[in-house]
Amino acid sequence: MSSNIRPLKKQKIRQENEKTILDAAEKVFAEAGYGGATMQLIADVAGLPKANLHYYFPTKEALYRQVVQNIFDVWLQAAAVFDNATGPAEALGAYIDAKMEISRRHPAGSKVWASEVMHRAPVIQDYLETTLVDWTNDRIKVIQSWVEAGLMDAVDPRHLLYMIWATTQHYADFNHQIETLNDAQPLSDAQWQNAKRSVKRIILKGIGVPESELSKL
Amino acid sequence: MSSNIRPLKKQKIRQENEKTILDAAEKVFAEAGYGGATMQLIADVAGLPKANLHYYFPTKEALYRQVVQNIFDVWLQAAAVFDNATGPAEALGAYIDAKMEISRRHPAGSKVWASEVMHRAPVIQDYLETTLVDWTNDRIKVIQSWVEAGLMDAVDPRHLLYMIWATTQHYADFNHQIETLNDAQPLSDAQWQNAKRSVKRIILKGIGVPESELSKL
DNA sequence: GTCTATACACTGATAGAC
DNA sequence: GTCTATCAGTGTATAGAC
């Protein structure tokens, strides 16, 4: 029966068009902010007529919601590397690396996220209150256990996490300022390596990871 | 002659109204972004008719420019404390304290600044290329001299500055997220003190400031 | 599923009386 | 210097032909 074939083909068209629109939307929302972004501009970037956007996403707000939720998924993905390690040097080092890599590869997403949180998280507040709070409290316990095991200094885990988030995301959210301070050039591969190493070294040394662990970075 | 009195009185009225409008504008731009902010909303917050805004500031963009430039001045003011000190512990400690205090007292300004830079600095780009570049290069030389004097480790001064900027401004730009993770409460006085101490300790220890200096924090 | 034309609301900015 | 009324332009969203 053709009724079994047709829906699958349509589903594929829908999937591809939604991805094209979402990619364009993320870029435009990041560059112009929610209020500054227009459906017309997103449509132009996506290479589609404006009306098609409303066919796939009923409203501008619904499109924005989907963009923000996709970014939250990327964030959770990076958070996973935290757990596949035994001590602070390995776990936090891998976590910083993962977040720096996201800042490098996915700066638009980070900017949309930052803008959403700066504007009091109108869309993502429920996720902050549930998933983020739970994740953070779990990680705080892990860090506390490292402190008790003598693997690191007795620093406040909460402010350590904030510092990691702030610093790694800074390379995405403020990439324009960083480029301006780098002779208007994007960071080269070597400069990114240097950035990662510098960030990891200062933070890990700052929380009391011994020099023998730091030399492995 | 009354022509000597009247202009002075008018100047005072102008000064006060401009300040009222600028304060309201900073708040609204921070909460809604440039595109999301409306002259009507700024007028409502300022308690003035919308037309009066256009009497004092010809366009929305001109008003926004003034807000951003005022924030840049606050930023430069905090930067000054960097220089009234001899070594890394004292200078960077005072700088971090000053920036944390700005994040606490002036979060709206920090958010407008972050938003401006995230959107590729359409208004403030010339300041970034001149004042910020010069200031940063000067401070990098100072930090290098500390390294050569053996007062701290041989860290990359640029990434150290980025970490300080990122972390201190995070407490303003992401204050909503921080509040959400603090049982929906603003940080108390004690919590702010703890935040400052944690940030200073991790960063200063991370760059090799000796324990004898750290205990003074 | 695609696209043109259009309805309707809102915003920045101004004119002109006070 | 203040404020009401209003204009011109733009934005989201939709109707309806294909």
Side-chain angles (χ1 to χ4, degrees), chain A residues 10 17 49 51-52 55-56:
Chain A
K10 283 199 181 176
N17 280 336
N52 291 30
Y55 176 74
Y56 288 104

Side-chain angles (χ1 to χ4, degrees), chain A residues 72-83 94-95 98-99 102 135:
Chain A
F72 194 78
D73 290 343
V74 171
W75 188 91
L76 278 182
Q77 177 189 337
V81 307
F82 198 112
D83 302 310
Y95 184 48
K99 290 219 71 197
I102 290 175
W135 186 89

Side-chain angles (χ1 to χ4, degrees), chain A residues 155-166:
Chain A
V155 302
D156 188 319
R158 207 170 281 277
H159 296 294
L160 169 59
L161 287 174
Y162 295 166
M163 182 177 292
I164 292 173
W165 295 344

Side-chain angles (χ1 to χ4, degrees), chain A residues 3-193:
Chain A
S3 62
N4 282 338
I5 299 296
R6 200 96 65 83
L8 286 175
K9 176 160 191 178
K10 283 199 181 176
Q11 271 194 355
K12 190 179 178 185
I13 290 177
R14 169 169 282 272
Q15 200 176 348
E16 286 174 354
N17 280 336
E18 284 183 352
K19 175 161 173 46
T20 301
I21 294 168
L22 285 168
D23 286 349
E26 182 181 275
K27 189 174 173 182
V28 173
F29 281 133
E31 288 180 359
Y34 180 80
T38 66
M39 295 297 271
Q40 184 62 62
L41 184 53
I42 296 172
D44 292 347
V45 171
L48 292 169
K50 189 177 61 162
N52 291 30
L53 270 62
H54 282 102
Y55 176 74
Y56 288 104
F57 298 92
T59 65
K60 180 185 179 182
E61 189 180 325
L63 174 55
Y64 174 75
R65 286 186 85 93
Q66 192 61 55
V67 169
V68 172
Q69 290 187 2
N70 288 354
I71 294 160
F72 194 78
D73 290 343
V74 171
W75 188 91
L76 278 182
Q77 177 189 337
V81 307
F82 198 112
D83 302 310
N84 304 329
T86 53
E90 201 186 337
L92 295 178
Y95 184 48
I96 290 170
D97 275 337
K99 290 219 71 197
M100 289 291 280
E101 206 56 34
I102 290 175
S103 287
R104 184 180 189 183
R105 307 293 178 191
H106 217 117
S110 184
K111 287 180 187 178
V112 174
W113 175 262
S115 187
E116 163 71 7
V117 173
M118 280 203 300
H119 300 150
R120 310 197 72 80
V123 161
I124 207 77
Q125 179 62 17
D126 49 344
Y127 284 85
L128 293 188
E129 292 176 0
T130 56
T131 312
L132 180 65
V133 167
D134 292 344
W135 186 89
T136 304
N137 288 335
D138 287 349
R139 268 10 83 165
I140 285 175
K141 283 180 194 160
V142 172
I143 295 172
Q144 283 290 9
S145 75
W146 291 335
V147 170
E148 287 158 18
L151 297 172
M152 56 177 280
D153 291 351
V155 302
D156 188 319
R158 207 170 281 277
H159 296 294
L160 169 59
L161 287 174
Y162 295 166
M163 182 177 292
I164 292 173
W165 295 344
T167 303
T168 55
Q169 288 166 213
H170 182 84
Y171 286 85
D173 302 342
F174 288 74
N175 62 354
H176 175 72
Q177 179 172 297
I178 289 174
E179 280 191 27
T180 297
L181 289 167
N182 191 46
D183 299 321
Q185 297 294 319
L187 297 192
S188 65
D189 285 355
Q191 287 176 317
W192 271 104
Q193 292 307 316

Side-chain angles (χ1 to χ4, degrees), chain B residues 146-159:
Chain B
W146 291 334
V147 171
E148 286 158 18
L151 296 171
M152 56 177 280
D153 291 350
V155 302
D156 188 320
R158 207 171 280 278
H159 295 294

Side-chain angles (χ1 to χ4, degrees), chain B residues 10 17 49 51 55-56:
Chain B
K10 282 199 180 176
N17 280 336
Y55 176 75
Y56 288 104

